[in-house]
Amino acid sequence: MTFEQLRYEVDGRILTITLNRPDRMNAFTGQMCEELIAAFDQADADDNVKVVIVTGAGRAFCAGADLELGGETWGKHSEYLAEQAAAERYVGDGGGQVTRRIYDFNKPVIAAINGAAVGVGITMTLAMDIRIAVPNAKLGFVFAARGIIPEACSSWFLPRIVGISKALEWCYSARVFKSEEGLQAGLLRSLHEPDALLPAARALAQEFIDNSSSVSIAMTRHMMWRMLSAPHPMDAHEVDTAAIAALGKSDDAREGISAFLEKRKANFKDRVTQHMPKFFPWWKDRVFKKL
């Protein structure tokens, strides 16, 4: 696919997706939504991509939804959703489509927040596994100040990341805060000077690539995220048992043990597109429905 509002660059098994509307501070559009989903589809199908980094071009990560229509922005969005319903292709708001696609992704995702990330600019990162940022970046869950509500499934993700009290404080106040506060609250892993941000993200990605089986990472990613809402430890135990039984017979498992005993680096060859356990996925997909 040819991307117009993103850059899609693979280097050393790391894919960097760059939101690329710097003249608009990478403001989110319907086209950007479609391109992000397509980019993650393409990355999931490519076994050469092991880790994804998402960042922004220019001085911002993403300033939120493009508000060039002014006060009619959300009215036009409501009309768009009504058109979906009439055509019986109701798939929901764009931010939620993006975070659900990332939630279903099979590989690690790192957000390298290079500047302002407000509204959907920050909620889209909540489904990513790790967020790092530059100092003094402006962040904000500003929806109540715009007369709307937190979107992109953030009412599910945000309390799980920072706790219900902090999530509600940020959303009730709709205030813009600095990345230092995000770090303290656990929203961010670490802060890095602008020139060091992408190198830090790549170093973290390389650590995942060098040390771990891609199939093991894919299973672990889904187990961790999906167990956040499991009602009982038994849900985890059942998946653990099935996964150990399946992966224990894999070439990667044999290679991992051999490498350890021989005191060498493992050379994992199993592929996510071909070697996931037969019971994967073990969950049933939810279909979006109109309330």
Side-chain angles (χ1 to χ4, degrees):
M1 178 176 177
T2 300
F3 299 103
E4 296 180 356
Q5 298 191 2
L6 307 176
R7 294 203 306 265
Y8 186 105
E9 300 164 308
V10 180
D11 180 18
R13 297 183 289 180
I14 300 170
L15 164 63
T16 301
I17 297 173
T18 305
L19 310 181
N20 194 28
R21 300 185 71 218
D23 56 320
R24 298 288 297 175
M25 296 181 69
N26 304 318
F28 187 83
T29 66
Q31 181 177 344
M32 183 181 286
C33 168
E34 293 175 1
E35 290 188 11
L36 277 167
I37 292 169
F40 278 97
D41 285 346
Q42 186 169 318
D44 240 348
D46 184 355
D47 284 315
N48 290 319
V49 171
K50 303 294 186 181
V51 182
V52 176
I53 297 170
V54 182
T55 193
R59 62 191 178 93
F61 179 78
C62 175
D66 196 320
L67 302 180
E68 63 181 353
L69 295 177
E72 295 303 313
T73 298
W74 302 122
K76 291 294 184 182
H77 189 62
S78 297
E79 292 175 10
Y80 161 71
L81 293 177
E83 290 171 1
Q84 280 189 20
E88 296 185 350
R89 54 180 180 83
Y90 207 71
V91 293
D93 78 274
Q97 292 178 53
V98 169
T99 55
R100 284 171 47 213
R101 180 62 190 91
I102 297 171
Y103 179 73
D104 287 333
F105 195 57
N106 291 321
K107 302 166 187 183
V109 186
I110 301 168
I113 301 172
N114 58 298
V118 178
V120 70
I122 190 64
T123 58
M124 76 163 73
T125 74
L126 300 180
M128 302 178 193
D129 302 306
I130 297 167
R131 286 159 296 281
I132 65 176
V134 296
N136 296 309
K138 294 181 178 180
L139 314 176
F141 299 89
V142 297
F143 306 96
R146 308 290 185 266
I148 56 171
I149 50 85
E151 39 60 86
C153 310
S154 53
S155 59
W156 192 92
F157 287 105
L158 186 58
R160 286 168 167 78
I161 296 169
V162 301
I164 187 67
S165 181
K166 179 56 72 175
L168 288 174
E169 176 196 333
W170 282 341
C171 292
Y172 287 166
S173 67
R175 64 182 172 85
V176 173
F177 57 93
K178 295 293 183 69
S179 51
E180 286 75 7
E181 182 176 339
L183 176 66
Q184 184 178 20
L187 179 66
L188 304 174
R189 170 192 179 269
S190 53
L191 301 183
H192 306 269
E193 293 301 323
D195 290 346
L197 182 70
L198 281 178
R202 289 188 63 85
L204 189 60
Q206 196 64 51
E207 189 175 344
F208 302 158
I209 292 169
D210 289 345
N211 295 335
S212 305
S213 157
S214 295
V215 171
S216 296
I217 282 179
M219 279 298 301
T220 301
R221 184 177 200 271
H222 286 291
M223 289 166 65
M224 291 285 187
W225 275 112
R226 294 175 192 282
M227 289 306 150
L228 286 175
S229 56
H232 195 278
M234 187 63 77
D235 293 272
H237 192 192
E238 290 167 352
V239 177
D240 295 348
T241 301
I244 286 290
L247 297 188
K249 299 179 291 185
S250 70
D251 289 341
D252 273 6
R254 283 188 286 273
E255 170 62 11
I257 295 296
S258 297
F260 173 75
L261 294 175
E262 296 166 12
K263 296 181 172 56
R264 60 173 174 83
K265 181 180 175 180
N267 181 22
F268 295 118
K269 295 182 178 180
D270 284 352
R271 299 186 173 193
V272 173
T273 58
Q274 299 177 24
H275 298 108
M276 296 300 286
K278 290 182 179 180
F279 69 86
F280 179 89
W282 66 89
W283 62 89
K284 292 183 178 179
D285 282 334
R286 284 282 305 273
V287 177
F288 185 91
K289 60 183 180 181
K290 183 179 179 181
L291 298 180

